[in-house]
Amino acid sequence: MAELKELYQDVRLRVGDVPLPAVVRAARSRARMLCRESYAWVVTEDKLSLRADRQSFELFSVSGGEVLRMEGVDLAGVPLEASSEDQLDARMPGWRTASGQPQFYFYEHNEQTVRVVPYPRQDIVRTITARYSLRPSRTSTILGDAFFDEYYEILVAGTLAELLGQKASAWFDRAGADMQESIYQYGVIDARSRRERNNTKKTRTTVYGGL
């Protein structure tokens, strides 16, 4: 995992004597925004196990992050269909206690687990692959390495825009903030476009509101 403080030197070259905690806060704010607008931080876990008589499985890479949406779940290489509790109530009455071959999944936000429906019988124990988009939590100081490397310049621009726009600070610079904001917003649009182009596998996704 990459730490947000790794942006400090490049930001300090432009802003000057800015405290490290201020840089981390600004970087986290812009990283959360970038992730929410582009769904560009994607994690794939392919060594998960679905045990017999269990309805849910945990996502182990969520530590320090918040799930924005599930991108897909495969059971032994076969895609499951994304759903929700309301949809299942309409399509499959009694789904909460049904057992058999899993067909659907949904993310249980409060528990940070993925539930499969129906839950597997005793003779079904399969390997699960889960793909999901994250954003850093409100207190996190880390990002995924690949995401951090790919969007480093965008994160720097966003952090600079945030800091230079702080009117009460010694480093306030409206013109500089506006320029960096333009760079950042263009980067967000580009990140969203790249994410859409890379998402060649047509899967139904489930988005979780209130994040």
Side-chain angles (χ1 to χ4, degrees):
M1 302 294 282
E3 296 198 28
L4 292 172
K5 66 181 181 181
E6 295 176 41
L7 298 168
Y8 181 64
Q9 291 303 324
D10 282 339
V11 170
R12 191 171 182 274
L13 288 174
R14 176 63 180 82
V15 178
D17 194 22
V18 57
L20 175 59
V23 173
V24 171
R25 286 193 298 270
R28 179 169 53 232
S29 173
R30 290 312 179 107
R32 283 170 59 84
M33 187 184 303
L34 172 60
C35 291
R36 187 65 182 89
E37 293 297 322
S38 68
Y39 299 101
W41 183 9
V42 179
V43 172
T44 299
E45 292 192 55
D46 57 5
K47 295 182 180 179
L48 300 167
S49 295
L50 182 61
R51 295 166 50 191
D53 290 332
R54 291 290 298 274
Q55 295 177 318
S56 304
F57 62 90
E58 296 182 16
L59 300 176
F60 295 104
S61 294
V62 174
S63 178
E66 300 171 354
V67 174
L68 289 173
R69 72 181 184 188
M70 297 298 300
E71 302 289 343
V73 172
D74 296 348
L75 174 63
V78 178
L80 302 184
E81 182 179 341
S83 192
S84 68
E85 293 183 82
D86 289 341
Q87 290 171 341
L88 288 168
D89 284 339
R91 297 178 61 180
M92 189 179 177
W95 64 268
R96 288 175 173 81
T97 57
S99 65
Q101 179 66 37
Q103 302 174 49
F104 308 98
Y105 74 89
F106 63 90
Y107 181 65
E108 299 175 299
H109 178 71
N110 291 336
E111 291 77 20
Q112 293 189 343
T113 57
V114 177
R115 183 163 178 173
V116 297
V117 178
Y119 70 86
R121 299 185 302 268
Q122 291 183 352
D123 59 339
I124 301 176
V125 181
R126 302 285 176 82
T127 300
I128 285 280
T129 298
R131 298 174 300 281
Y132 49 95
S133 301
L134 288 174
R135 74 173 175 182
S137 70
R138 296 182 186 278
T139 59
S140 177
T141 60
I142 58 175
L143 293 171
D145 287 321
F147 173 79
F148 184 81
D149 291 342
E150 184 169 2
Y151 297 102
Y152 182 88
E153 298 299 332
I154 299 173
L155 292 169
V156 169
T159 303
L160 286 170
E162 189 101 352
L163 291 169
L164 294 172
Q166 295 174 352
K167 293 182 179 180
S169 68
W171 48 81
F172 173 67
D173 179 352
R174 173 51 60 195
D178 290 345
M179 181 181 70
Q180 295 298 331
E181 185 68 35
S182 295
I183 295 171
Y184 175 77
Q185 292 298 334
Y186 178 82
V188 170
I189 294 171
D190 181 64
R192 186 186 304 123
S193 297
R194 276 190 278 171
R195 179 72 181 92
E196 291 172 354
R197 289 197 301 269
N198 291 337
N199 192 23
T200 54
K201 185 175 182 180
K202 302 300 183 182
T203 57
R204 184 179 174 189
T205 58
T206 305
V207 181
Y208 303 94
L211 293 178

